[in-house]
Amino acid sequence: MSSTFVSPTRSPPGPVRSAAQSRLLCLLAVFGAVALAPDTRVRAQIPDVSEMCADRPPATGISPFTAVPPGPAARGSTEQRPASDLNCIDLYPTTRGGDATGVIELRRPWSPFGVTVTAEGRHRNTLVAWLKDLPDPTTLGPYSAYVAWATPLALDPVVPLGEVTNGRNDLGEVDFNKYLVWVTAESDPAAVERSGPLVVRGRSPSSRMEAHDLLAMAPSAESGPPMASMDHDPMNHEGMDDEAWSMPPMYEGIPMLAGVMGVRPRISPLRPTPADPTAVPMVRPRDVVTLPDGGTLDLTAGFVRKRVGDRELVMMGFNGQIPGPLLRVTEAATITVNFVNDTPLPTAVHWHGLRLDNEFDGVPGVTQDPVAPGERFQYRIHFPDPGLYWYHPHHREDVTQELGLAGNMLVEPLDATYYNDVDREEVVMLDDLLIGEDGVVPFGREAANYMLMGRFGNVFLVNGEPEYGLEVDAGDVVRFYLTNVSNTRTFNLSLQSTSDPDAAPLPIKVVASDVSRFERESFVESVVMAPAERYTVEVRFPEAGAWSLTNQVQGINHRQGLFLEERSVLGRVAATGNANAASSTTHTHVFDSLRTHDAVVEDIDRYRPLFDAPPERELVLTLEVDDLPMPIEQSMSLDWVYFNPVEWTGTMPMMNWASSAPEVRWLIRDGLTGAENDAIDWTFRVGDVVKIRVTNDRAAFHAMQHPLHIHGQRFLVLEQNGVANENLVWKDTVLLPSGSTTDILLELSNPGRWMVHCHIAEHLESGMSFVFDVEGNSP
């Protein structure tokens, strides 16, 4: 059975719909598609509009393409969903506006991160408007100019954006979740309160998102498929616990539709379990292991018992620790790691971000065979670059990394002036864990579940603990080395006063990211980190007091079409004593200054002539779904109207839990050849430098962000949606927001076979990866 949404101005394409589906679609078209009925006439192109917003159909919120996906065939992207409808606002005239029209591009202001948000998690956009055929304002009354305004849907406050004229207008920044843009005639071009007539108006892409409870009327919305059969089991049962699926934790305050509550995963559950849980040791605090050049580390992955809140859980740790041992080495050192797998799952250890010898990269099936339970493997690890790196499994990491197998590596620079002077350093690993009534929520046995959005946890962990605590002296400057090791969650971290909720967050100085320092340091209010990203930041605690380490984001209540603020305190920092102590004076002065890192600028200078070259390779990140349970398909088919640049929270737990590899296939597609995932065939030579354009397909069945990781090399993020990156840093993982197009410059310096993949663990397990070859010898 199939159906289509059609615009009232078009002939209905495709197959005949059932009467029930036709009734549903008609109701949705009337009530759920558009709040401001736009002018659907063909409009002449506005001169000089940006490429993003030019030559495209108006974004009406009424879909001319499939909304309830057809039958058993696999469904992927739809070409008629342009990315511009997430990044542009069409302006339409009122009766006073005559033939006036316009378009606004939503541009992301620069930040050191893949998206730009406030400390509260609201996405920030700089608005650039192109207007055409505005009438002479004096013909409308005692008016001399036009002024633009932005206002949330509640119409309070109304914020002036400045005078506008025909042509291009730079309007400044807006960070409302949903909002309207008005242009009015005013007597004063500097007006700060609107009083004149409305001439043109438009609304943000997010404002098209509305409730879709009408899905309760859809066929089969009241029942789900039967529980998954436990008969098919290609995995060894030794060390595994067989049991039926139990319901996953729900997201508080967001009830699921009745039909969705009936769905179940079509795979069997997996809960790795030791033969004798009582013999499993309690987890130990993380050790700091300093290794010289030529040093050796014995590293064992195995079960541990860990108390989280009032629950004792069976998890996994390296050397009995969560996080695993913190390895401190010096730049250019080489060490040996003797790894033993004492878990019931085959595995390997990937040394994330390091440009090491390919044979030790730790990717089963590419650089080595999996290390079977009870077996061992020896790694030789070289550290060519200073900074923060991490190690984790690379086989069923959706299971083993979630259970605790992750650790950091801190590479000390040879240059004593590489970093600023600070009073102390803290290595902080951020994670989340999904806990249900019976402990850690089971995983999929034959394949991962939580395949659509990835596995969001419901308990935050900082350095393995539910609450982080740090005591410092007032006036101290602290360097934080931050790593996000969660399966799918993107964090937005700030430091908020615990005594004054209205106070601005502490300024955070961003110094470095994955593989290098930034060209220039910068101050931010919050730090956005996708899975696998690292950031090195500095914070001054100016006086005695306490600050909460806060994750604050704007999720989406899809059922009601509303933004949902989520604020979680991950820990606290307490400062005591006198901030005027002489020992902190120098560090305070350094903190107030922003350095330019000349060595980084000079390193990048040799590549700048390539920045404006056309891309040589193209990748598209998208999704195919096949035979998802009907209630999930019907519910998600309405979410295309607006995709948040980042899926910050797990507000669709049942749909996500019930999706697995048999129904969901995340794709990396070669944009030039059409090859997908492991069929992509790229070969380079050592010394090549390649510009790659990566498009995160807005037209996917469910578009969401992807943290794209490239093994064994480094790259620069040159631009996003055509806007140049003004402050570069060498990366190995980049956050790609929904509907975005990002240009990167990949330096090929390390020979071997290297993997590219999405670092959402469940997306990787669905096959969202490929391997490329770099031929030649290291320079």
Side-chain angles (χ1 to χ4, degrees):
M1 186 184 299
S2 63
S3 62
T4 53
F5 271 160
V6 293
S7 164
T9 61
R10 304 191 184 195
S11 299
V16 177
R17 299 184 294 272
S18 71
Q21 288 175 322
S22 296
R23 287 194 299 272
L24 172 64
L25 296 173
C26 288
L27 287 167
L28 289 168
V30 173
F31 297 110
V34 128
L36 282 175
D39 179 0
T40 56
R41 63 197 168 100
V42 176
R43 298 178 298 142
Q45 178 60 49
I46 302 169
D48 302 321
V49 170
S50 70
E51 184 177 350
M52 170 62 72
C53 299
D55 295 322
R56 64 189 181 83
T60 64
I62 301 175
S63 171
F65 44 80
T66 301
V68 181
R75 289 164 298 281
S77 62
T78 305
E79 294 297 330
Q80 292 169 292
R81 302 182 185 181
S84 59
D85 74 358
L86 298 180
N87 298 290
C88 304
I89 298 174
D90 291 298
L91 298 175
Y92 297 96
T94 65
T95 55
R96 305 291 296 270
D99 293 328
T101 189
V103 65
I104 296 173
E105 181 182 351
L106 310 183
R107 293 183 175 177
R108 180 174 76 87
W110 182 84
S111 83
F113 317 114
V115 293
T116 305
V117 297
T118 66
E120 297 77 26
R122 297 189 303 273
H123 285 272
R124 295 166 50 198
N125 289 290
T126 297
L127 275 55
V128 182
W130 289 264
L131 295 166
K132 179 184 177 185
D133 294 333
L134 288 171
D136 184 339
T138 61
T139 64
L140 304 179
Y143 308 114
S144 62
Y146 289 105
V147 176
W149 313 84
T151 181
L153 302 192
L155 307 186
D156 182 37
V158 178
V159 178
L161 299 177
E163 182 182 9
V164 296
T165 61
N166 285 317
R168 173 174 170 151
N169 302 267
D170 295 315
L171 301 183
E173 189 174 302
V174 173
D175 62 21
F176 298 127
N177 281 333
K178 293 183 176 184
Y179 58 95
L180 307 175
V181 176
W182 297 332
V183 174
T184 62
E186 302 291 343
S187 58
D188 181 359
V192 294
E193 292 187 6
R194 178 206 162 187
S195 60
L198 182 63
V199 177
V200 295
R201 80 284 196 221
R203 61 176 185 162
S204 66
S206 55
S207 71
R208 296 195 302 270
M209 178 178 61
E210 297 184 354
H212 48 69
D213 265 2
L214 288 170
L215 285 173
M217 301 169 58
S220 77
E222 296 180 1
S223 63
M227 291 287 287
S229 169
M230 304 303 163
D231 296 335
H232 175 63
D233 183 7
M235 296 186 64
N236 189 339
H237 275 248
E238 184 178 354
M240 308 297 175
D241 181 25
D242 286 320
E243 58 182 87
W245 284 109
S246 56
M247 295 291 284
M250 295 294 101
Y251 194 98
E252 186 177 356
I254 303 182
M256 297 291 101
L257 293 171
V260 171
M261 292 300 292
V263 301
R264 297 293 184 272
R266 291 170 175 166
I267 54 177
S268 52
L270 165 67
R271 176 175 287 160
T273 305
D276 181 5
T278 62
V280 174
M282 287 298 295
V283 71
R284 296 191 292 111
R286 174 177 65 186
D287 289 336
V288 178
V289 180
T290 301
L291 291 167
D293 185 24
T296 298
L297 172 73
D298 293 328
L299 189 69
T300 299
F303 285 113
V304 295
R305 288 182 294 129
K306 179 174 176 57
R307 183 163 292 279
V308 177
D310 60 355
R311 308 286 293 277
E312 185 173 288
L313 308 173
V314 174
M315 299 180 66
M316 292 182 182
F318 284 115
N319 288 2
Q321 304 161 42
I322 298 177
L326 169 61
L327 310 185
R328 296 190 76 120
V329 298
T330 302
E331 178 187 354
T334 300
I335 66 170
T336 298
V337 177
N338 298 316
F339 172 66
V340 176
N341 179 14
D342 201 17
T343 79
L345 294 168
T347 191
V349 183
H350 171 56
W351 311 91
H352 186 110
L354 294 180
R355 296 189 289 165
L356 76 177
D357 290 346
N358 183 244
E359 63 181 303
F360 302 116
D361 192 41
V363 182
V366 178
T367 65
Q368 67 173 91
D369 293 329
V371 183
E375 297 298 319
R376 60 187 62 232
F377 189 90
Q378 186 175 82
Y379 295 95
R380 189 171 66 248
I381 311 301
H382 181 60
F383 299 91
D385 304 299
L388 182 68
Y389 303 89
W390 66 297
Y391 56 96
H392 63 87
H394 220 294
H395 182 76
R396 285 310 301 263
E397 62 187 79
D398 63 300
V399 179
T400 53
Q401 185 179 306
E402 167 79 351
L403 288 175
L405 290 182
N408 272 125
M409 301 171 286
L410 186 58
V411 184
E412 304 285 355
L414 292 172
D415 178 3
T417 65
Y418 189 87
Y419 291 123
N420 303 313
D421 291 332
V422 295
D423 295 286
R424 66 184 298 166
E425 295 182 327
E426 286 286 308
V427 178
V428 176
M429 183 172 279
L430 301 149
D431 199 1
D432 61 4
L433 180 65
L434 186 60
I435 302 177
E437 293 182 358
D438 301 321
V440 176
V441 172
F443 305 87
R445 180 184 296 276
E446 299 85 358
N449 64 332
Y450 286 97
M451 193 63 80
L452 280 170
M453 302 93 178
R455 182 179 170 114
F456 284 95
N458 57 358
V459 175
F460 290 96
L461 299 176
V462 180
N463 289 344
E465 297 301 323
E467 184 163 341
Y468 173 74
L470 177 65
E471 294 183 358
V472 300
D473 293 331
D476 274 1
V477 177
V478 180
R479 179 178 302 124
F480 292 95
Y481 296 98
L482 305 173
T483 307
N484 180 357
V485 305
S486 68
N487 280 26
T488 194
R489 184 181 299 275
T490 298
F491 288 88
N492 180 43
L493 301 173
S494 60
L495 285 157
Q496 308 273 355
S497 171
T498 61
S499 59
D500 183 0
D502 296 325
L506 286 182
I508 300 173
K509 180 191 288 188
V510 181
V511 176
S513 190
D514 298 346
V515 193
S516 80
R517 295 169 297 175
F518 281 86
E519 292 183 289
R520 294 175 300 281
E521 297 172 343
S522 59
F523 283 116
V524 297
E525 285 189 334
S526 61
V527 176
V528 177
M529 300 184 66
E533 286 193 300
R534 288 93 62 213
Y535 282 93
T536 301
V537 304
E538 296 169 2
V539 180
R540 179 176 182 260
F541 296 91
E543 59 192 7
W547 290 266
S548 61
L549 178 63
T550 303
N551 181 57
Q552 196 163 354
V553 298
Q554 303 289 322
I556 290 179
N557 180 336
H558 294 269
R559 184 171 182 180
Q560 296 181 357
L562 300 174
F563 282 90
L564 177 73
E565 182 173 306
E566 180 178 288
R567 185 179 187 273
S568 305
V569 174
L570 311 187
R572 288 175 172 80
V573 180
T576 58
N578 183 358
N580 296 319
S583 61
S584 65
T585 303
T586 301
H587 296 168
T588 299
H589 174 72
V590 170
F591 180 75
D592 291 337
S593 303
L594 294 174
R595 287 173 65 186
T596 294
H597 297 127
D598 294 330
V600 179
V601 175
E602 292 170 8
D603 184 28
I604 294 173
D605 278 346
R606 54 195 169 128
Y607 298 106
R608 295 188 203 278
L610 304 176
F611 286 7
D612 294 328
E616 299 175 56
R617 306 286 177 122
E618 295 182 12
L619 294 174
V620 178
L621 312 183
T622 190
L623 168 69
E624 285 184 353
V625 296
D626 186 7
D627 199 27
L628 276 172
M630 183 62 76
I632 295 179
E633 289 192 352
Q634 290 172 322
S635 180
M636 294 190 67
S637 293
L638 296 184
D639 292 336
W640 68 267
V641 172
Y642 176 74
F643 290 125
N644 214 359
V646 172
E647 189 111 16
W648 297 100
T649 58
T651 55
M652 296 188 284
M654 285 296 297
M655 290 183 283
N656 197 14
W657 170 71
S659 63
S660 60
E663 304 93 28
V664 176
R665 183 170 177 248
W666 284 100
L667 300 173
I668 301 177
R669 178 180 296 138
D670 186 323
L672 301 179
T673 69
E676 295 174 345
N677 290 350
D678 57 7
I680 296 175
D681 184 14
W682 285 6
T683 300
F684 305 103
R685 298 286 302 175
V686 169
D688 286 349
V689 181
V690 181
K691 187 174 183 179
I692 304 172
R693 177 159 293 169
V694 188
T695 299
N696 188 351
D697 185 14
R698 184 270 181 269
F701 176 76
H702 178 74
M704 66 176 289
Q705 79 282 358
H706 296 284
L708 190 72
H709 174 46
I710 301 179
H711 286 216
Q713 316 294 333
R714 62 178 188 169
F715 60 83
L716 300 169
V717 179
L718 299 183
E719 63 178 57
Q720 187 183 102
N721 292 342
V723 178
N725 185 355
E726 63 187 52
N727 186 5
L728 298 170
V729 64
W730 288 106
K731 296 280 288 177
D732 60 63
T733 305
V734 58
L735 173 60
L736 303 169
S738 304
S740 65
T741 296
T742 303
D743 287 355
I744 67 172
L745 193 70
L746 176 65
E747 176 199 71
L748 287 310
S749 62
N750 203 2
R753 303 194 70 221
W754 302 101
M755 180 174 276
V756 179
H757 65 92
C758 175
H759 220 289
I760 292 175
E762 291 73 22
H763 292 184
L764 172 59
E765 286 300 315
S766 82
M768 196 176 190
S769 66
F770 71 96
V771 174
F772 65 91
D773 290 292
V774 181
E775 299 176 344
N777 298 316
S778 298

